[in-house]
Amino acid sequence: MKLFKLLTVLLVVTCAATLVMAAEGGNSRKGKYLFKKSCKPCHVSGAEGGELTPLKKTQKQWDRFFTDDKHKSKPEALENFSDQDLKDINQFLFDHAVDSDQPETCG
Amino acid sequence: MQKFFSLILALLFLAPATLLAQTPTVDDLQQQLNDLTDRLERAERHVATDRITWYGDLRGKVDSLHYQDLTWNPGINADFTDFFMKVGSGELGALNVFDGSGNFNPGLSQGSALDTMFVNLANNDPAQFQGLMQAMGAMQQNGTMPGIGAFRLATAPKSSDLDNDILYTTRLRLGMKAKVADKINFSGRLSMYKNWGDSTGVKVFDSWNAFTMDGSNGGATSGDWLRVERAYFDWKDMGGSKFYLSIGRRPSTYGSPSNYRENELRGGTPSGAMMHFAFDGITVGYKLGEVTGIEGQVVRFCYGQGFESQWGNGEMFNDAGTANLEDTHVGGFNIDLYNDGYSLVQLTAFRAMDVNDGFKGTFAFPTQYGALFAPTLYRDMQKFPNFNFVTRYTPSTVIGDINLAGVNFERVEENGFTWFGAVGMTQLESNGKAGMFGGMGNDAVYQATLTSDASEVYMTPVKAMDDQTNEGYGVYVGIQTPAPMGKLGLEYNFGSKYWTPFTQGQDDAIGSKLATRGHVGEAYYIVEFNKNTFLKVGGLYYDYQYTGSGSPVGAPLKVEDVKDGKAFSLMPVVDTAWDAYASLTVKF
């Protein structure tokens, strides 16, 4: 039972620690949603923009895309996104870029 | 005003001259283009010839290991009825140490195998000798069959604590990726896991964890050898379908949710709660999610071979050594029901067919076993108590089948808080056969045999205690939360009496925590210095309820019963243990 008491105390401490955390920068999860909803329609095989996945670029290349390139082939594509939206999409693409850590599963 | 216009005029003349002076000529641009082309060609050449992308990680770790009530109480189940019948029939040779009235008299010994056995037993364990005499008397006088009973090999359990204050280890993993063709990729990982100051590759056989074998090489310290932990190819979208094929040494370790304590992404395909074992095999997957619209839904059929019964086992002698062995095949389904990168629900259903009483492997033979089972050998071994000859173990017989089923779940909340859980069931189907260490979840029954030169009576396993099927259950829950400078994690797992998952490849120093038949709690703190460097400090506490964690061979016995001398185990048994550890990992 000592083990359970110890785990309970640690659980409370853990939850308390969570509350003091604050997210900074882009939200990868929101970025994924935005990317699928707004980018994918043009960026699948056979569509206007051609197939595009996060694995197409490195992390630095994705950062440069959002700071320098800004979708210069079709700048108006980014007009409907807020700055936070773009930060979220950038974060998602950065987190899943070709040089990011990947799940080590088969298939 | 005139001055102003003059200034403007001067600037108008000067500006083009300045610009012209800074603008490169066409020749300059051509030269720069040539330089860039030259550099790009070198980069292209490098990319074309550098066919493997390497990455990896290096972990230095210190563990402080502490075992409480470490007990060794060796013994076997002996068929006393068979023994007395053989004594009576003379099958075990002459018996001279009983006089005409049936009284024991060691002075009558003529050195036969039975004479020596009875005299030694009377000298070394008088209480057990008296019990044997009473059973023999009851059988002669009343015809009462003694049946199968415990025969202890030590007069009393040896129990003590053990502290290993410092154990240093280094784990190196080198990952490989290569693109073979448009839809075909190669992946691999070379791994070295060693404890400092030891590159022998074998350990003295004092636990199942000390057995160097195929499935757990990546998780058991085995010297400075760089082993192939995984090597396989993936052929995606075969023929334009949603099927993929993957063949080779599988990514079957560090799966979800056991990856969180490693501070890495999902490290393998199957459930980490059920399987953490290197397999050679084949996976056929189908991306069902592209049909159902459920994100990340994949159905996989996996097949592998865990044991080869002939090749390399001396099969060319074609005798009893390999006669009772069969290849062990493992097959089943591994299904990601849902996986969006933040939530995962996974189902597992596997069956291991024709499981033998162990795997092929190497270990250093313990002198203690020489004393118990090999008196002739021990006569010389005791002169060299720290000389342990390295031997290759081959199991002796098929003992049954194993079924595994389970479900695991994980979820990463938006603030990074992660929680997960897994439940599983393992089923051990005994076929009634046994080797030296027992049958499937079952102890062996030993019968007395006479050596070919009639010099010694020895005990040989002939069958398991029964052919029953037994189920075990396991639970694994945990959380990981962002914390100042890193992450904090808490985990707990429990395994019931017959809980036997394939997680022996976990690299926990005391033993795979997820294979534990009992309770395990773990707390850790990860300090991330940067995205590729982290320190992990934590502790593990094991409370073993039953013996044999991590092994389907042998009956699980109550640890308390072994401590009290009511039950016997050929392996030392741990009651409780804790491991305080710190590790520094760099990824590159």
Side-chain angles (χ1 to χ4, degrees):
Chain A
M1 290 308 291
K2 282 182 182 173
L3 176 64
F4 288 111
K5 283 182 183 171
L6 179 67
L7 286 173
T8 307
V9 171
L10 287 171
L11 188 66
V12 171
V13 171
T14 302
C15 293
T18 310
L19 298 176
V20 300
M21 294 309 297
E24 288 183 3
N27 183 316
S28 184
R29 188 182 308 224
K30 287 178 181 166
K32 180 182 179 183
Y33 170 77
L34 290 168
F35 181 77
K36 286 179 70 177
K37 180 187 165 201
S38 305
C39 306
K40 269 293 179 184
C42 291
H43 282 297
V44 291
S45 182
E48 180 187 353
E51 186 174 21
L52 184 68
T53 71
L55 295 172
K56 290 284 185 181
K57 293 181 188 294
T58 67
Q59 292 179 326
K60 282 188 177 173
Q61 285 171 339
W62 279 123
D63 278 349
R64 280 206 302 272
F65 177 84
F66 283 90
T67 55
D68 303 338
D69 184 280
K70 296 183 177 176
H71 213 298
K72 69 182 177 189
S73 60
K74 191 178 178 185
E76 62 273 23
L78 300 188
E79 284 175 358
N80 292 329
F81 293 107
S82 67
D83 287 347
Q84 186 59 48
D85 287 345
L86 292 175
K87 204 178 274 187
D88 293 342
I89 297 171
N90 188 356
Q91 189 69 52
F92 165 66
L93 295 169
F94 180 94
D95 287 351
H96 297 82
V98 68
D99 56 336
S100 67
D101 288 343
Q102 303 288 330
E104 303 263 347
T105 58
C106 66
Chain B
M1 183 60 79
Q2 275 185 336
K3 284 182 182 175
F4 177 73
F5 280 114
S6 300
L7 187 61
I8 294 293
L9 201 60
L11 285 172
L12 284 172
F13 279 110
L14 284 173
T18 308
L19 287 171
L20 282 172
Q22 290 178 345
T23 304
T25 64
V26 172
D27 286 344
D28 290 340
L29 289 173
Q30 186 62 49
Q31 184 59 43
Q32 285 182 19
L33 201 58
N34 290 342
D35 289 345
L36 283 172
T37 303
D38 186 44
R39 288 165 62 188
L40 188 61
E41 281 184 350
R42 283 187 211 168
E44 275 185 331
R45 195 161 55 243
H46 181 75
V47 169
T49 54
D50 190 12
R51 297 179 184 176
I52 298 177
T53 302
W54 289 89
Y55 61 102
D57 60 74
L58 178 69
R59 185 187 76 188
K61 190 179 181 195
V62 58
D63 290 85
S64 186
L65 310 174
H66 304 273
Y67 305 84
Q68 291 81 45
D69 292 336
L70 178 65
T71 304
W72 194 38
N73 188 31
I76 57 175
N77 291 308
D79 186 342
F80 290 108
T81 300
D82 174 79
F83 174 67
F84 293 140
M85 300 286 275
K86 284 177 178 171
V87 169
S89 69
E91 191 176 327
L92 297 178
L95 178 61
N96 310 296
V97 287
F98 292 92
D99 61 23
S101 306
N103 297 317
F104 176 67
N105 182 355
L108 299 174
S109 172
Q110 294 182 22
S112 72
L114 276 177
D115 290 348
T116 304
M117 195 203 85
F118 276 105
V119 170
N120 286 343
L121 185 63
N123 290 336
N124 299 332
D125 193 347
Q128 185 158 245
F129 176 77
Q130 286 303 323
L132 195 67
M133 291 303 98
Q134 288 170 7
M136 191 156 66
M139 185 174 168
Q140 286 174 338
Q141 291 166 13
N142 313 324
T144 307
M145 297 296 175
I148 295 165
F151 185 80
R152 68 187 181 206
L153 300 172
T155 51
K158 178 189 161 204
S159 195
S160 59
D161 293 346
L162 179 68
D163 296 304
N164 184 351
D165 294 330
I166 297 178
L167 170 71
Y168 291 111
T169 55
T170 298
R171 186 189 69 182
L172 170 68
R173 301 188 301 184
L174 297 175
M176 298 175 282
K177 287 189 186 300
K179 192 173 181 65
V180 178
D182 184 32
K183 299 290 184 185
I184 304 176
N185 295 309
F186 162 79
S187 300
R189 188 156 77 190
L190 309 178
S191 173
M192 179 207 76
Y193 182 35
K194 78 185 295 289
N195 59 295
W196 290 12
D198 180 6
S199 278
T200 57
V202 291
K203 304 187 198 70
V204 176
F205 190 49
D206 58 0
S207 66
W208 291 108
N209 206 27
F211 190 41
T212 304
M213 66 175 195
D214 185 61
S216 60
N217 275 342
T221 55
S222 54
D224 59 354
W225 300 349
L226 202 53
R227 299 174 183 273
V228 180
E229 185 189 356
R230 18 179 107 169
Y232 59 96
F233 71 82
D234 289 320
W235 188 347
K236 300 175 184 177
D237 306 331
M238 295 183 71
S241 73
K242 297 174 180 59
F243 282 99
Y244 78 82
L245 173 70
S246 182
I247 300 178
R249 192 152 172 81
R250 316 301 307 142
S252 50
T253 50
Y254 301 96
S256 170
S258 69
N259 55 300
Y260 287 103
R261 61 196 294 257
E262 305 291 333
N263 197 27
E264 59 190 21
L265 297 176
R266 183 180 178 183
T269 310
S271 161
M274 301 290 295
M275 199 164 289
H276 195 115
F277 200 88
F279 272 111
D280 303 304
I282 301 168
T283 294
V284 177
Y286 183 77
K287 293 177 182 169
L288 187 62
E290 294 180 13
V291 177
T292 62
I294 297 174
E295 189 161 1
Q297 192 171 65
V298 183
V299 176
R300 306 179 188 90
F301 174 76
C302 305
Y303 162 80
Q305 183 178 1
F307 177 77
E308 162 58 45
S309 62
Q310 293 184 303
W311 187 263
N313 295 343
E315 74 277 12
M316 299 303 280
F317 290 113
N318 202 17
D319 59 14
T322 52
N324 298 317
L325 297 174
E326 295 287 347
D327 292 354
T328 303
H329 299 282
V330 182
F333 290 92
N334 167 12
I335 301 167
D336 287 2
L337 270 186
Y338 180 80
N339 182 12
D340 66 357
Y342 306 102
S343 298
L344 169 69
V345 181
Q346 188 178 18
L347 301 178
T348 303
F350 271 84
R351 179 171 171 82
M353 291 154 284
D354 294 328
V355 177
N356 297 273
D357 61 318
F359 290 90
K360 299 177 192 180
T362 54
F363 58 78
F365 192 83
T367 306
Q368 292 80 357
Y369 277 8
L372 287 185
F373 297 111
T376 310
L377 201 60
Y378 185 62
R379 272 201 290 278
D380 282 333
M381 284 177 77
Q382 61 188 308
K383 302 169 197 165
F384 307 94
N386 292 335
F387 285 42
N388 301 98
F389 59 84
V390 175
T391 184
R392 176 192 189 276
Y393 176 78
T394 304
S396 59
T397 185
V398 173
I399 57 173
D401 306 311
I402 303 176
N403 297 316
L404 300 91
V407 56
N408 55 289
F409 162 86
E410 66 173 64
R411 179 166 171 76
V412 182
E413 303 293 349
E414 284 207 28
N415 63 356
F417 180 84
T418 304
W419 53 292
F420 58 80
V423 292
M425 187 270 289
T426 58
Q427 191 176 50
L428 305 179
E429 296 179 348
S430 169
N431 64 1
K433 295 181 180 175
M436 177 180 176
F437 291 97
M440 180 66 74
N442 224 304
D443 273 340
V445 175
Y446 282 74
Q447 290 183 349
T449 309
L450 192 63
T451 55
S452 57
D453 64 354
S455 65
E456 185 189 339
V457 173
Y458 68 102
M459 305 302 285
T460 184
V462 292
K463 61 180 179 180
M465 289 289 281
D466 59 57
D467 59 358
Q468 292 180 356
T469 294
N470 294 292
E471 284 86 23
Y473 303 91
V475 178
Y476 177 31
V477 292
I479 59 166
Q480 188 184 76
T481 181
M485 296 180 67
K487 299 165 184 170
L488 177 66
L490 294 175
E491 298 191 0
Y492 165 78
N493 62 277
F494 167 77
S496 72
K497 182 177 179 181
Y498 286 97
W499 172 242
T500 315
F502 288 159
T503 61
Q504 297 89 337
Q506 283 198 292
D507 60 17
D508 302 313
I510 288 175
S512 164
K513 75 167 193 168
L514 292 174
T516 300
R517 290 167 172 167
H519 307 273
V520 180
E522 180 176 20
Y524 62 82
Y525 201 103
I526 292 170
V527 178
E528 293 178 314
F529 300 110
N530 53 57
K531 71 171 188 171
N532 289 326
T533 310
F534 68 88
L535 171 75
K536 183 184 174 193
V537 180
L540 275 158
Y541 181 78
Y542 295 70
D543 181 3
Y544 290 97
Q545 304 285 301
Y546 288 90
T547 63
S549 293
S551 172
V553 184
L557 307 167
K558 267 195 167 179
V559 171
E560 292 298 324
D561 287 348
V562 178
K563 284 167 60 181
D564 295 343
K566 297 174 189 167
F568 304 92
S569 172
L570 293 178
M571 291 284 189
V573 171
V574 179
D575 184 5
T576 59
W578 57 276
D579 173 4
Y581 61 79
S583 64
L584 187 66
T585 303
V586 292
K587 298 190 285 185
F588 45 86

